[in-house]
Amino acid sequence: MAGNTTPEGRPDLAAMIVPLGRALVAAELPVLREHGLAMWAYSVLLRLDDEPVRTQAALARDIGADKTRIIGVLDGLEERGLIRRQSDPADRRARVLSLTPAGRRMRDAVQSAIQQREEQLLARLPEEDRRGFLNALQALATLSPSEITGD
Amino acid sequence: MAGNTTPEGRPDLAAMIVPLGRALVAAELPVLREHGLAMWAYSVLLRLDDEPVRTQAALARDIGADKTRIIGVLDGLEERGLIRRQSDPADRRARVLSLTPAGRRMRDAVQSAIQQREEQLLARLPEEDRRGFLNALQALATLSPSEITGD
DNA sequence: GCTTACGATAAGCGCATGCGTATCATGGGT
DNA sequence: ACCCATGATACGCATGCGCTTATCGTAAGC
């Protein structure tokens, strides 16, 4: 059962993390569907949570989407009143993106439902592993891709 | 900078893990290219490491590939002498897949290079977080997708 | 022997995605 | 005024992938 092990006895990180990520995404999909959100739309809501984003291109880069693909996503979110696209008075080429109150409520509801599921999963872990896991994950998540790739 | 946080103060697991997985895969690609391997081919070598696999369909399922897509991958690996496809004497419809010695050497070389990079990354973490991270990751990696999705 | 089931392979369809390019509006520098 | 860079948008192309179907060989039960 324990395949792909090295002398130190662990599989490649990617070999463990990528399938785990797939499963976590699969776990989110039903929740998102209940709220009528697609994954890209949810990613946008998450990214816009804290502060507005000045340009759509920057938003696309941040969430790892193609800049030509989020246009339709933003159209849908704006149409449903979840985000605002306002021309930046200082640079009218740019559209400042921000959450509406409804958008924030949507984000809170969905994220709360998702994290509730995740807590059930984490509850399987011993307390100290769980804390180390979350600490390490948050540390690694703040690294830039180039720092992970190997500088 | 710390966006997408809940009252407990962490982003969604998937929101951290998926980009991390992408970055780890990106880090592997140059190593794989040096050895002339594609990601699917490397996945096959990893899966075959410990024991032979009885059918190609089972292999495809295990590594998350479509069963019709790995045919070409196996063709290439067999042509390069890295794997063997032997008819199962007990059921000649099946092709028992196994690593050749050359395949095992290739796997060891590539995995060692990859894990060497990963160790550099893990070295950034405090010792206890690192241990908890690896423990938790290995525990979660052995769960079936349905157990992660929420049973 | 005949039928049914399983496995490998090939070929085609469709979706999601990334990329390049063109267009138009705008801003900033010369 | 003029030129070039930037931003949003739309369009077309190519790719990679999953899914489905069809064909063929083989195994196993009747």
Side-chain angles (χ1 to χ4, degrees):
Chain A
M1 179 94 298
N4 320 325
T5 55
T6 49
E8 314 95 71
R10 67 162 174 86
D12 296 354
L13 290 185
M16 295 187 287
I17 286 182
V18 172
L20 177 57
R22 264 202 284 267
L24 288 171
V25 168
E28 291 191 0
L29 288 182
V31 181
L32 292 176
R33 191 187 321 261
E34 282 173 25
H35 292 81
L37 284 181
M39 184 58 77
W40 283 124
Y42 181 55
S43 298
V44 168
L45 293 186
L46 285 179
R47 176 62 189 84
L48 293 183
D49 174 52
D50 36 359
E51 81 274 359
V53 174
R54 211 185 63 84
T55 73
Q56 299 184 176
L59 171 67
R61 178 174 35 74
D62 287 355
I63 66 176
D66 189 88
K67 68 180 192 301
T68 68
R69 301 220 80 250
I70 58 166
I71 297 176
V73 177
L74 297 178
D75 288 346
L77 288 172
E78 189 181 26
E79 193 175 346
R80 293 169 61 188
L82 300 176
I83 67 167
R84 261 188 304 262
R85 273 198 277 204
Q86 297 164 307
S87 283
D88 183 352
D91 183 346
R92 276 180 299 180
R93 295 171 303 179
R95 314 286 177 86
V96 180
L97 303 165
S98 57
L99 283 188
T100 63
R104 189 171 303 271
R105 280 194 301 275
M106 172 71 79
R107 187 206 76 94
D108 289 345
V110 175
Q111 189 171 35
S112 147
I114 284 175
Q115 298 211 356
Q116 203 169 324
R117 287 191 172 214
E118 291 178 348
E119 286 301 324
Q120 291 176 13
L121 181 65
L122 292 174
R124 292 165 166 265
L125 301 174
E127 170 59 22
E128 70 234 26
D129 288 350
R130 170 201 163 99
R131 187 168 40 238
F133 179 65
L134 289 174
N135 284 341
L137 204 50
Q138 292 182 69
L140 294 175
T142 63
L143 296 178
S144 70
S146 66
E147 282 173 306
I148 292 171
T149 305
D151 309 318
Chain B
M1 180 95 299
N4 320 326
T5 56
T6 49
E8 315 95 71
R10 67 163 174 87
D12 296 353
L13 289 185
M16 296 187 287
I17 285 182
V18 172
L20 177 58
R22 264 202 284 266
L24 287 172
V25 168
E28 290 190 359
L29 289 182
V31 181
L32 292 176
R33 190 186 322 261
E34 283 174 25
H35 293 79
L37 285 182
M39 183 58 76
W40 283 125
Y42 181 55
S43 299
V44 169
L45 294 186
L46 285 179
R47 177 62 189 84
L48 293 182
D49 174 54
D50 36 0
E51 81 275 357
V53 173
R54 211 184 63 85
T55 73
Q56 299 185 176
L59 171 66
R61 176 175 35 76
D62 287 354
I63 67 176
D66 190 272
K67 69 179 191 299
T68 67
R69 301 218 81 247
I70 59 166
I71 298 175
V73 177
L74 296 179
D75 288 346
L77 288 173
E78 189 179 26
E79 193 176 347
R80 294 169 61 188
L82 301 177
I83 68 168
R84 262 188 305 261
R85 274 199 275 203
Q86 297 165 305
S87 283
D88 183 350
D91 183 345
R92 277 179 299 181
R93 295 171 304 179
R95 315 287 178 86
V96 180
L97 304 165
S98 57
L99 282 188
T100 64
R104 190 173 302 272
R105 280 195 301 275
M106 171 70 81
R107 188 206 77 93
D108 289 344
V110 174
Q111 189 172 35
S112 146
I114 284 176
Q115 298 210 358
Q116 204 169 323
R117 288 193 171 211
E118 291 178 348
E119 286 301 324
Q120 291 176 12
L121 181 65
L122 291 175
R124 291 167 167 264
L125 301 174
E127 170 58 22
E128 70 234 28
D129 287 351
R130 170 202 165 99
R131 188 169 39 237
F133 179 65
L134 288 174
N135 283 343
L137 205 50
Q138 293 182 67
L140 294 176
T142 61
L143 296 179
S144 70
S146 65
E147 283 173 307
I148 293 172
T149 306
D151 308 317

